[in-house]
Amino acid sequence: MLDLTQAYNQLTLDEEANKLVTIITHRGIYAYNKLPFGVASTHTVFQRMMESILQGIDGVACYIDDIIITGKTVDEHLDHVEQVLKRLFEHGVKAHKGTCHFLQASVPFLGHMIDSKGIHTTPDKLLLRPLLLKMSLSYVRFVSGLVKLLQQVHSAICNNSTLAECSTVQECKIVTDERMPSKF
C-alpha cells in the first residue's frame, strides 16, 4: 500500500493549463505551476494521470493518492512493487515513506479491508450502521415535518395571508393580512 505525498501538488501544469489556474491578490495575478487543491477538476485530472502512469502493471489499483499493490506470491508482489516504484520515479511522483506498508496480509483501502479471501467491511463501519439508520429515520421525520410547515407557508402565500408569530411549529397559525400584495 502506497500513499502519495501532497498528491495534487505533484502534477506540474503545462503552459496552457497554467494560464487557467490563477489567483488574484492585491499584489497582482499569479498562476500556479502545480495543480492546486480546490479546483473542480483536480480530482479527475490527478486520477487520470495516475491511471496512465500505472497502466499495464498487473495487481495494481489506484484511487487518487492511494495505491494498492497485490500479488499471488511474495515474489510476484515484490515484482509489482518494483514496477510501480520505477514508474513513479520516472514521472517524479513521490510516496510518503511513513504511511506506506509492504508485505501486509490485509490492508485497509477505501473504507474496506482487503485480504487473500476478498473485500470485507471494516468493523468500524459495522458499528456505524445502527447510528446511520437512526440518523436517517430522524432525517425522514425532519423532512416530513418541514414539508407540512412549508405547505402551510405556501397556502398562506397563495391566500394572501402571513404566518403569525409562534414559539413552536405546531403553534403556528395562518392569519389573514390585508396589507400583503395580491401578487408577488
Side-chain angles (χ1 to χ4, degrees):
M1 176 87 174
L2 298 178
D3 181 35
L4 302 182
T5 304
Q6 298 178 0
Y8 301 145
N9 295 327
Q10 295 193 50
L11 180 59
T12 304
L13 298 173
D14 62 18
E15 201 170 311
E16 186 179 327
N18 182 279
K19 293 175 185 174
L20 298 173
V21 185
T22 60
I23 185 171
I24 300 172
T25 71
H26 66 284
R27 294 187 177 192
I29 299 173
Y30 296 92
Y32 284 96
N33 294 321
K34 302 284 187 174
L35 185 63
F37 290 90
V39 175
S41 61
T42 299
H43 170 83
T44 306
V45 170
F46 190 79
Q47 181 69 30
R48 188 178 305 140
M49 181 199 76
M50 289 307 301
E51 287 176 2
S52 69
I53 289 173
L54 300 172
Q55 183 177 358
I57 303 175
D58 292 330
V60 176
C62 175
Y63 183 73
I64 313 288
D65 64 340
D66 292 323
I67 303 170
I68 189 166
I69 307 168
T70 63
K72 293 179 183 174
T73 65
V74 172
D75 290 335
E76 184 181 59
H77 175 70
L78 292 175
D79 181 51
H80 293 165
V81 169
E82 185 178 342
Q83 289 178 52
V84 168
L85 292 175
K86 183 178 176 185
R87 291 265 184 94
L88 294 177
F89 179 77
E90 289 170 357
H91 290 86
V93 178
K94 297 176 179 134
H96 189 266
K97 183 180 177 182
T99 57
C100 294
H101 305 281
F102 300 97
L103 299 172
Q104 301 291 309
S106 64
V107 292
F109 190 67
L110 302 177
H112 294 81
M113 192 59 81
I114 301 174
D115 60 23
S116 61
K117 297 176 185 173
I119 300 173
H120 315 285
T121 304
T122 56
D124 59 328
K125 298 283 185 205
L126 293 174
L127 292 174
L128 287 177
R129 283 185 182 171
L131 177 63
L132 291 174
L133 180 59
K134 187 175 183 178
M135 286 173 55
S136 63
L137 291 174
S138 296
Y139 183 72
V140 167
R141 285 192 292 273
F142 166 76
V143 169
S144 63
L146 181 62
V147 166
K148 289 176 186 173
L149 176 63
L150 291 177
Q151 285 173 338
Q152 291 178 351
V153 171
H154 177 68
S155 176
I157 291 170
C158 291
N159 296 322
N160 295 329
S161 303
T162 63
L163 293 177
E165 288 186 25
C166 53
S167 59
T168 66
V169 173
Q170 290 78 16
E171 294 174 7
C172 286
K173 296 178 183 176
I174 298 173
V175 178
T176 304
D177 185 359
E178 303 300 329
R179 295 170 292 167
M180 184 179 282
S182 59
K183 295 193 178 190
F184 292 90

